[in-house]
C-alpha cells in the first residue's frame, strides 16, 4: 500500500467509525467496500485494526453467519479479540434477565461467523487464540459452552485422554462442539481457561474427566456450573471503560456508559 493511500486511512477510519456510531452499518460496509476496491483488502484490515474496539463491537454485532460483511471477513484477530468484551454493552438488561439463552445463541452466531468466515485454517486458529487469551474472552467462550454443558464435558474428556489434535468423536451433533475442538487446537491455555470459567470449582481439565451432570438440568447437584445468565452478567462487569481503555491487566469497570 502506497504512502498516499496510507494517508487516507485516518479519514476513512473516522468516516467508518462515525457511520457505525450513527447506526448506519450498511453505509459503513459500503465505505469499506469502496476502500477495498481502490486500495485492496489491506486497507480494510488497517482501518479495522485502528477503529476503537467498542466501535468494532457495534459494527460486528450487526452481522452474523447469515449475513456477509467485509468486516467479518477481514477484521484482524487482535482487533476482534479486543472488541469481544464490548459486545456485552450492546445487550439489553431485560434480555439478559429474561432470555439469556437467546443472547448466548447470538454470541455463538457472532463468534462462529467470524471464525469460519473463510477456509483459512491459520487465520481461524489465530482468531481463536487471540480471542481466548483474555479474561473476558474466556468468559465469552464459556457463555457459548453454557448452552451445551454436557457436550462440552464430553469433549473435555475426549481431549484430555486423546489430545486436541486428533479427530475428537462425541455423541453430540451440536454446532458448538466443532468450535470447542478448534479452540482446543488453537490454544490449549485458552480452551482450559474457558472451560474452567464455566466450571469454576476445578483448577484443571483433568479433574473434569469423571464428572457427570444429571439428566434433568433442574436436578440438585453438588457440581458447580455457572449458568448462562450469570456468565452474561460476569462479562458485562468485564467491559473496559472507554475513557481508560485498559489492556489485559488494566482496571475494569461496570461499563454502563461505555459509549458516552
Amino acid at each position: 500500500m502506497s504512502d498516499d493511500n496510507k494517508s487516507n486511512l485516518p479519514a476513512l477510519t473516522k468516516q467508518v467509525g462515525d457511520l457505525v456510531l450513527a447506526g448506519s452499518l450498511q453505509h459503513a460496509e459500503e465505505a469499506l467496500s469502496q476502500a477495498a476496491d481502490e486500495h485492496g483488502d489491506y486497507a480494510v484490515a488497517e482501518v479495522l485494526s485502528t477503529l476503537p474496539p467498542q466501535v468494532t463491537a457495534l459494527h460486528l454485532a450487526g452481522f452474523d453467519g447469515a449475513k456477509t460483511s467485509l468486516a467479518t471477513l477481514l477484521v484482524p484477530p487482535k482487533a476482534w479479540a479486543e472488541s469481544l468484551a464490548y459486545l456485552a454493552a450492546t445487550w439489553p438488561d431485560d434480555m439478559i434477565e429474561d432470555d439469556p439463552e437467546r443472547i448466548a445463541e447470538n454470541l455463538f452466531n457472532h463468534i462462529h461467523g467470524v471464525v469460519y468466515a473463510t477456509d483459512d485454517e491459520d487465520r481461524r486458529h489465530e482468531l481463536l487464540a487471540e480471542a481466548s487469551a483474555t479474561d473476558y474472552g474466556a468468559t465469552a467462550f464459556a457463555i457459548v459452552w453454557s448452552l451445551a454443558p454436557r457436550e462440552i464435558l464430553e469433549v473435555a474428556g475426549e481431549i484430555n485422554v486423546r489430545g486436541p489434535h486428533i479427530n475428537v468423536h462425541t455423541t453430540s451433533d451440536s454446532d458448538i462442539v466443532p468450535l470447542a475442538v478448534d479452540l482446543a487446537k488453537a490454544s490449549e491455555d485458552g480452551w482450559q481457561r474457558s472451560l474452567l470459567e464455566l466450571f469454576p470449582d476445578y483448577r484443571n481439565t483433568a479433574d473434569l474427566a469423571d464428572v457427570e451432570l444429571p439428566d434433568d438440568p433442574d436436578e440438585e447437584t453438588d457440581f458447580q456450573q455457572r449458568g448462562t445468565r450469570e456468565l452474561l452478567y460476569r462479562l458485562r462487569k468485564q467491559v473496559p471503560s472507554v475513557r481508560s481503555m485498559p489492556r489485559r491487566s488494566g482496571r475494569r469497570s461496570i461499563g454502563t456508559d461505555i459509549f458516552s
Side-chain angles (χ1 to χ4, degrees), residues 8-36 38-39 47-48 50-52 55 59:
N8 295 327
L9 285 177
L12 180 59
T13 300
K14 184 178 187 305
Q15 178 190 11
V16 171
D18 288 347
L19 287 169
V20 170
L21 291 173
S24 301
L25 300 187
Q26 197 56 50
H27 289 112
E29 279 287 309
E30 289 170 3
L32 292 176
S33 180
Q34 183 177 348
E38 294 178 1
H39 310 301
V47 168
L48 294 170
T50 54
L51 280 175
V55 177
H59 190 174

Side-chain angles (χ1 to χ4, degrees), residues 24-184:
S24 301
L25 300 187
Q26 197 56 50
H27 289 112
E29 279 287 309
E30 289 170 3
L32 292 176
S33 180
Q34 183 177 348
D37 290 341
E38 294 178 1
H39 310 301
D41 290 352
Y42 175 83
V44 176
E46 279 289 295
V47 168
L48 294 170
S49 72
T50 54
L51 280 175
Q54 68 272 17
V55 177
T56 299
L58 278 175
H59 190 174
L60 292 176
F63 300 93
D64 58 30
K67 302 176 184 177
T68 57
S69 160
L70 269 181
T72 298
L73 288 167
L74 298 173
V75 63
K78 185 171 179 58
W80 179 55
E82 291 180 346
S83 76
L84 272 178
Y86 293 93
L87 287 174
T90 69
W91 300 333
D93 290 338
D94 57 347
M95 189 178 289
I96 293 178
E97 194 60 34
D98 300 335
D99 200 358
E101 287 78 14
R102 181 180 171 189
I103 294 178
E105 288 168 359
N106 288 340
L107 180 60
F108 168 71
N109 289 335
H110 168 75
I111 292 175
H112 192 280
V114 172
V115 170
Y116 298 104
T118 73
D119 294 328
D120 185 341
E121 189 172 5
D122 289 341
R123 173 174 166 80
R124 182 186 311 157
H125 285 179
E126 191 177 352
L127 284 162
L128 289 167
E130 285 282 356
S132 62
T134 62
D135 291 342
Y136 51 77
T139 303
F141 282 106
I143 290 169
V144 174
W145 306 159
S146 73
L147 293 171
R150 294 173 65 86
E151 290 85 348
I152 290 300
L153 273 177
E154 186 180 0
V155 169
E158 281 288 301
I159 289 174
N160 187 63
V161 172
R162 305 174 64 191
H165 296 288
I166 45 83
N167 292 325
V168 175
H169 300 287
T170 74
T171 59
S172 172
D173 59 359
S174 170
D175 291 339
I176 292 172
V177 169
L179 177 64
V181 173
D182 278 342
L183 174 58

Side-chain angles (χ1 to χ4, degrees), residues 182-198:
D182 278 342
L183 174 58
K185 290 178 178 178
S187 171
E188 183 178 353
D189 179 67
W191 159 245
Q192 294 208 20
R193 290 177 67 181
S194 70
L195 196 59
L196 299 175
E197 183 74 3
L198 179 61

